[in-house]
């Protein structure tokens, strides 16, 4: 295989794939119609590009990949190692209070992108106000001086991919066991056409089984949650040194609910977690 075309939602794809596809010549096709350096290209756009042979691989964060991917005629050819897991909370210097939960001063207004983030944030610190916001519309370079918000939440992957450094602010690393992210957080997915046999063989060599083991549980939980009418859902799974699985899940439906299930096996872990919401 001499040459492949890669489409992506990422701004700096080299930091994610150079070490993994270093033996292959590839071109990165810019598919972004970005505003404030954030891509407006989504999962469906990448699928279309694959099916029309515009690209050979579509690379994007796993958390953006539909749980109904089989219905689209493409497959996940490989997953990366799990890096940049979870989210950052950026707080303007004048809104920092080291005595408060998450170091956010009371009455602060924090920009969030989903009810999942909003309900978790306000549960941890009820003194602040989380406001649903289109994060893509925020000018990060001028955030500290001009924004109406006192802080914002951004996924680590987005922050690192865009090289976001908000001046005059404190960056708080949110623990994914406490502030549960979207399923698949911190992992890059390589989507391909199922008939691209040679390319699938190449991707098989870079596939990270450890990432697959835990994110499969997260995504299965997401599927079950969706079938049970849970629209805003978070999941984070990890294995400890004894190879026990620990799955934290939450649903945001106006009344935040969280569950944590631990088992020595992954079998049935997703079903047990979701059924616990019914008890």
């Amino acid at each position: 295989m001499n040459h492949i075309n890669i489409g992506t939602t990422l701004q700096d794809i080299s930091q994610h794939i150079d070490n993994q596809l270093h033996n292959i010549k590839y071109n990165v096709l810019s598919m972004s119609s970005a505003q404030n350096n954030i891509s407006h290209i989504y999962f469906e756009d990448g699928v279309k590009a694959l099916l029309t042979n515009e690209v050979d691989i579509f690379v994007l964060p796993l958390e953006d990949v539909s749980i109904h991917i089989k219905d689209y005629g493409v497959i996940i050819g490989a997953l990366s190692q799990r890096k940049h897991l979870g989210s950052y909370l950026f707080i303007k210097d004048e809104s920092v209070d080291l005595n408060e939960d998450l170091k956010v001063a009371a009455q602060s207004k924090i920009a969030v992108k989903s009810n999942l983030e909003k309900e978790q944030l306000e549960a941890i610190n009820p003194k602040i106000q989380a406001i649903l916001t289109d994060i893509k519309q925020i000018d990060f370079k001028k955030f500290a001086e001009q924004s109406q918000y006192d802080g914002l939440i951004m996924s680590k992957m987005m922050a690192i991919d865009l090289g976001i450094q908000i001046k005059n602010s404190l960056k708080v690393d949110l623990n994914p066991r406490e502030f549960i992210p979207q399923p698949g957080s911190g992992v890059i997915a390589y989507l391909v056409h199922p008939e691209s046999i040679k390319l699938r063989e190449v991707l098989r060599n870079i596939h990270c089984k450890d990432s697959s083991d835990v994110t499969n549980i997260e995504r299965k939980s997401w599927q079950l949650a969706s079938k049970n009418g849970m629209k805003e859902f978070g999941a984070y799974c990890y294995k400890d040194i004894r190879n026990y699985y620990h799955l934290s899940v939450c649903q945001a439906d106006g009344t935040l609910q969280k569950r944590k299930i631990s088992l020595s096996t992954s079998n049935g872990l997703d079903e047990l977690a979701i059924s616990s919401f019914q008890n």
Side-chain angles (χ1 to χ4, degrees):
M1 184 170 296
N2 298 322
H3 174 270
I4 59 175
N5 290 321
I6 298 176
T8 184
T9 63
L10 301 169
Q11 297 295 315
D12 184 8
I13 194 173
S14 62
Q15 66 174 310
H16 301 287
I17 69 171
D18 267 357
N19 293 331
Q20 297 173 308
L21 295 179
H22 62 279
N23 291 326
I24 299 176
K25 293 182 180 179
Y26 62 85
N27 286 335
V28 176
L29 301 184
S30 176
M31 302 176 65
S32 173
S33 55
Q35 180 174 347
N36 292 331
N37 296 321
I38 296 182
S39 175
H40 287 193
I41 300 297
Y42 298 102
F43 170 75
E44 289 82 0
D45 301 285
V47 168
K48 181 179 179 180
L50 282 171
L51 295 178
T52 58
N53 297 317
E54 181 182 351
V55 299
D56 302 298
I57 303 176
F58 186 61
V59 181
L60 75 168
L62 178 59
E63 65 185 52
D64 294 336
V65 177
S66 170
I67 52 175
H68 305 294
I69 184 173
K70 292 181 179 179
D71 298 335
Y72 288 86
V74 300
I75 61 172
I76 297 175
L79 297 177
S80 73
Q81 294 181 356
R82 181 163 240 175
K83 300 179 180 179
H84 318 316
L85 168 67
S87 301
Y88 288 129
L89 168 61
F90 292 94
I91 313 166
K92 289 182 180 179
D93 285 345
E94 62 267 28
S95 298
V96 172
D97 187 337
L98 300 181
N99 295 316
E100 294 286 355
D101 291 324
L102 298 178
K103 303 177 182 179
V104 185
Q107 309 304 317
S108 294
K109 296 179 179 180
I110 307 298
V112 298
K113 68 177 182 180
S114 67
N115 282 315
L116 179 66
E117 293 182 346
K118 174 180 172 64
E119 292 189 20
Q120 290 191 89
L121 188 64
E122 293 180 340
I124 296 173
N125 187 341
K127 298 178 183 179
I128 63 179
Q129 182 181 3
I131 302 174
L132 289 173
T133 308
D134 186 352
I135 300 296
K136 294 185 287 294
Q137 302 302 317
I138 293 177
D139 188 337
F140 303 112
K141 294 181 180 179
K142 300 179 180 179
F143 182 83
E145 298 83 10
Q146 298 182 4
S147 177
Q148 60 181 307
Y149 306 107
D150 301 301
L152 65 86
I153 289 179
M154 179 184 296
S155 73
K156 289 183 184 178
M157 186 170 289
M158 176 185 287
I160 292 171
D161 182 52
L162 297 177
I164 297 296
Q165 296 292 334
I166 297 179
K167 298 179 179 178
N168 303 316
S169 70
L170 174 68
K171 182 172 68 175
V172 177
D173 191 341
L174 298 175
N175 186 332
R177 301 182 195 179
E178 299 176 0
F179 194 88
I180 302 173
Q182 291 178 252
S185 173
V187 176
I188 296 295
Y190 298 75
L191 307 188
V192 293
H193 195 285
E195 296 181 2
S196 300
I197 304 301
K198 291 184 178 180
L199 192 52
R200 290 175 62 183
E201 291 177 356
V202 171
L203 292 177
R204 191 176 296 117
N205 293 327
I206 67 172
H207 178 65
C208 180
K209 185 179 183 301
D210 288 341
S211 292
S212 178
D213 285 346
V214 292
T215 58
N216 280 348
I217 296 171
E218 295 170 7
R219 287 174 61 81
K220 286 180 180 177
S221 300
W222 185 14
Q223 286 180 318
L224 287 175
S226 178
K227 290 180 180 178
N228 282 272
M230 302 179 194
K231 296 181 179 180
E232 295 264 0
F233 182 78
Y236 169 54
C237 183
Y238 70 96
K239 288 195 294 185
D240 62 22
I241 58 175
R242 300 176 301 165
N243 283 325
Y244 273 62
Y245 290 84
H246 304 274
L247 174 62
S248 297
V249 294
C250 68
Q251 65 161 327
D253 60 356
T255 303
L256 182 69
Q257 297 186 62
K258 290 187 176 182
R259 301 289 189 273
K260 182 176 180 180
I261 306 294
S262 298
L263 292 176
S264 60
T265 175
S266 63
N267 292 334
L269 184 57
D270 53 326
E271 295 178 356
L272 186 59
I274 300 306
S275 65
S276 70
F277 284 107
Q278 314 302 324
N279 300 329

